Amino acid sequence: MTVSDPVVESVIATISRSATEIRQGLIGRRGTVDEENPSGETQVEADVWADELLGDRLAAIDGVGQYASEERAEVEDCGGDPAMADVYAVAVDPLDGSSNLKSNNAMGTIFGVYDAALPARGETLVAAGYILYGPITTMVLATEDSVTEYELTGGERTVVQRDVRLPDEPVVYGFGGRVPDWPDDFQEYAREIEQELKLRYGGAMIGDVNQVLTYGGIFGYPGLESRPEGKLRLQFEGNPIGYIVERAGGRSSDGERSLLAVDPDDLHDRTPVHVGNEELIDRLEDLIA
Ligand SMILES: O=P(O)(O)OC[C@H]1O[C@](O)(COP(=O)(O)O)[C@@H](O)[C@@H]1O
Ligand SMILES: [Mg+2]
Ligand SMILES: [Mg+2]
């Protein structure tokens, strides 16, 4: 599938072509640097490197008016106002789950193409996707009308599944954060779910969400007692994943409403993130609202 808008297609082609290179470049970049990202988390060498690589390439695309990433404080102005026709803003989590580099477990790259200046509502996304660096490098791409899974080799992307849909019968769940730090209502919900589904939690949202897309179920990183806003970032993680799961027939929620309807205050806002089969998200909202 190619996307009809040439700018959006260029963004997707640039990220998918860069993925093999990013995967290769992880070697030798597993150590931490002496810096924190704007969310106050220790950066790994590969976080900084992947951000620079993607930032340089995406900013060079005509029609990309803004670039923003989890790893830099401010939105980069790339020449062009996303309020204008055919100008977009791209928000990226260059490496999702980069703490998994140390233990050599799955990781990802997440991106959202917004038709609005950042920070923006998820409803303004025109495309979103993620790369999963698993045993195979894959990309899941959602656009207005469909979700497609690709395998990436060299610079090529090969379709492996068109029209990806969440299976009707959910099988897996994964919830982030420490159990004693979960609010009572979320604990109650989790107790129910663990009677019904199998636990899959790998410490990289992309790996865990891909399990949900493949088998059906729910991924959640709830608001915590110690941090009611949760851990994950709305612009770089919550919105793109919410968009993908909703396009695949599922639901997303911050606990009360679709993630795509959340109004951002700040580029690095955090939000509780829940995505999965509709019925499971409905039940969650009933219990914790
Ligand atoms: O270590 P925890 O608390 O389980 O958190 C894991 C979550 O944090 C993240 O690693 C945050 O993403 P980054 O690695 O991009 O900061 C998610 O991928 C994952 O779901
Ligand atoms: Mg992340
Ligand atoms: Mg990251």
Side-chain angles (χ1 to χ4, degrees), residues 105-228:
N105 285 103
M107 285 188 340
T109 294
I110 311 172
F111 62 95
V113 186
Y114 293 84
D115 191 7
L118 298 171
R121 272 192 180 216
E123 283 160 358
T124 66
L125 284 163
V126 295
Y130 62 80
I131 315 286
L132 174 60
Y133 308 102
I136 295 166
T137 307
T138 53
M139 176 170 75
V140 171
L141 172 68
T143 58
E144 271 317 288
D145 40 44
S146 67
V147 182
T148 309
E149 184 187 18
Y150 302 86
E151 287 176 356
L152 305 180
T153 37
E156 300 300 310
R157 60 185 206 251
T158 310
V159 174
V160 284
Q161 197 187 338
R162 286 183 209 284
D163 202 19
V164 174
R165 306 287 297 169
L166 255 83
D168 291 335
E169 285 300 319
V171 176
V172 299
Y173 77 97
F175 298 140
R178 289 169 51 249
V179 177
D181 209 4
W182 288 347
D184 290 346
D185 47 11
F186 189 82
Q187 289 205 25
E188 194 187 322
Y189 179 73
R191 294 287 90 83
E192 277 183 23
I193 295 298
E194 67 194 18
Q195 304 301 316
E196 301 169 23
L197 307 179
K198 283 197 287 193
L199 172 62
R200 291 292 156 87
Y201 191 76
M205 181 180 71
I206 284 311
D208 297 327
V209 166
N210 202 60
Q211 298 250 15
V212 169
L213 262 188
T214 309
Y215 300 113
I218 180 168
F219 167 81
Y221 206 113
L224 304 174
E225 292 287 358
S226 63
R227 190 155 70 181

Side-chain angles (χ1 to χ4, degrees), residues 26-65:
L26 299 175
I27 296 167
R29 292 192 174 90
R30 295 168 77 182
T32 54
V33 293
D34 244 355
E35 298 285 334
E36 287 186 346
N37 71 11
S39 304
E41 293 161 349
T42 304
Q43 291 176 306
V44 174
E45 278 174 75
D47 283 322
V48 178
W49 173 75
D51 171 45
E52 275 166 17
L53 183 144
L54 289 171
D56 288 350
R57 292 182 186 179
L58 292 169
I61 298 171
D62 264 350
V64 171

Side-chain angles (χ1 to χ4, degrees), residues 47 70-71 93 95-98:
D47 283 322
E70 198 179 88
E71 306 303 338
D93 179 356
L95 286 178
D96 173 63
S98 53

